[in-house]
Amino acid sequence: MTYQALKGQKAIVTGASSGIGAGVALALAAAGADVAVNYASSLSGAQRVVDEIKAMGRQAIAVKADVAQEDDVQALFDATLTAFGGLDILVNNAGLQQDAAFAEMTLAQWNKVMGTNLTGMFLCSRLAVKEFLRCGLKPGGSRASGKIICMSSVHEVIPWAGHVNYAASKGGVKLFMQSLAQELAPKKIRVNSIGPGAIQTPINKAAWDTQQALDALLKLIPYGRIGVPEDIGKAAVWLASDDSDYVNGQTIFVDGGMTLYPEFADGG
Ligand code: NDP
């Protein structure tokens, strides 16, 4: 049997009914974890992921919850702890865009993005941390009492005109993650982020679904291909596992080099 880095561990992945979250949930399960598959609206998407995980011989549940709503998040954690009896890994992945030119951006667009992308991480992480602190280190388990992975973006460092709310939320994720990592390291809780570049999912369909759009996008990616959710899933498994036990408070960019200022490749 192949080595399973997360054998017996329990995970919640928010926004796991689609795209990157689905890829991360499947990768964690393939590495041996049981997974709570959170979704906001797509039960069918979440159920597909649950079915695939169960086919691997792992436990999985689909749980509807809006990560921006405190009661929903409490219900998500209650359902997970009832089903699995514990928690080792939280992946704060749920996120969305509501794009607008800045002068036209509504307060509703600003609040929706902040609520999902940033407040959602606060609400989910707070309950995860309470559970990690309650259980402490588990004999024979992981070297950390808990692991939190935040799905950030290259836009935690690359400004993004026309997407000010989104870039501000991901910039917020950076110091949220680092401050949490600093506060919780003495409790043996590790907190890190993944900063995906362009990953082929529904969130950015307009950027890859015509040849013209894809050609323009590829100019921003030195490695010459768009990413896929599996690229992020592999990074998440590593960050959740003891293989990265000495990694804390870091953003791992998985972006084919998008953060390398490709426009300077020919001398600038
Ligand atoms: P998708 O649109 O494919 O998936 C978004 C997921 O988030 C869905 O499962 C959706 O659930 C869920 N979701 C949305 N709002 C909420 C909410 N309020 N509560 C709970 N779940 C919610 O997008 P991606 O997979 O591309 O994005 C996932 C994460 O990756 C986001 O944080 C995004 O910012 C980040 N990212 C993506 C990049 C990319 O290139 N794709 C690049 C950099 C970062 P449902 O469908 O059920 O409504």
Side-chain angles (χ1 to χ4, degrees):
M1 194 179 143
T2 51
Y3 166 65
Q4 292 193 306
L6 305 177
K7 192 170 168 35
Q9 297 195 38
K10 319 292 180 193
I12 293 175
V13 182
T14 66
S17 50
S18 170
I20 289 174
V24 167
L26 293 170
L28 297 183
D34 298 326
V35 185
V37 174
N38 161 247
Y39 68 99
S41 61
S42 176
L43 173 58
S44 59
Q47 199 54 53
R48 263 197 304 277
V49 176
V50 164
D51 292 345
E52 260 195 73
I53 292 174
K54 285 185 172 169
M56 295 179 204
R58 306 266 70 81
Q59 295 186 73
I61 53 170
V63 189
K64 181 176 166 74
D66 177 347
V67 294
Q69 301 300 324
E70 196 169 14
D71 292 350
D72 279 21
V73 173
Q74 184 68 58
L76 167 63
F77 277 72
D78 289 347
T80 304
L81 293 174
T82 300
F84 299 162
L87 185 71
D88 304 280
I89 301 157
L90 168 67
V91 182
N92 282 315
N93 167 79
L96 46 72
Q97 292 177 215
Q98 298 254 308
D99 307 329
F102 185 67
E104 312 305 327
M105 188 175 285
T106 64
L107 181 58
Q109 287 174 317
W110 174 269
N111 284 339
K112 181 78 180 166
V113 170
M114 287 297 166
T116 307
N117 297 10
L118 196 51
T119 306
M121 291 207 184
F122 160 64
L123 292 172
C124 292
S125 301
R126 190 174 54 166
L127 288 188
V129 167
K130 283 185 182 172
E131 178 61 17
F132 298 155
L133 293 175
R134 190 182 69 76
C135 288
L137 285 173
K138 301 181 188 83
S142 173
R143 294 180 71 182
S145 56
K147 283 87 51 146
I148 297 175
I149 299 168
C150 300
M151 204 55 67
S152 184
S153 165
V154 291
H155 296 296
E156 77 167 43
V157 291
I158 301 178
W160 205 15
H163 311 258
V164 168
N165 48 359
Y166 184 84
S169 75
K170 297 300 185 179
V173 169
K174 176 176 189 286
L175 278 169
F176 169 80
M177 177 278 289
Q178 290 178 326
S179 302
L180 205 56
Q182 190 187 58
E183 181 169 334
L184 296 170
K187 304 290 184 191
K188 305 294 278 181
I189 296 169
R190 292 194 297 117
V191 190
N192 291 287
S193 287
I194 297 172
I199 311 298
Q200 193 163 14
T201 75
I203 207 176
N204 57 4
K205 191 164 187 286
W208 51 260
D209 75 340
T210 65
Q211 194 57 48
Q212 196 185 13
L214 186 60
D215 289 345
L217 179 63
L218 289 176
K219 289 199 179 94
L220 303 175
I221 309 172
Y223 201 56
R225 72 164 171 89
I226 190 168
V228 290
E230 291 76 10
D231 291 315
I232 308 301
K234 287 172 189 164
V237 167
W238 183 72
L239 280 176
S241 77
D242 283 354
D243 293 340
S244 63
D245 189 55
Y246 210 45
V247 179
N248 201 7
Q250 302 303 312
T251 298
I252 310 292
F253 290 103
V254 181
D255 67 350
M258 191 178 248
T259 40
L260 298 175
Y261 297 95
E263 54 280 20
F264 279 79
D266 297 322

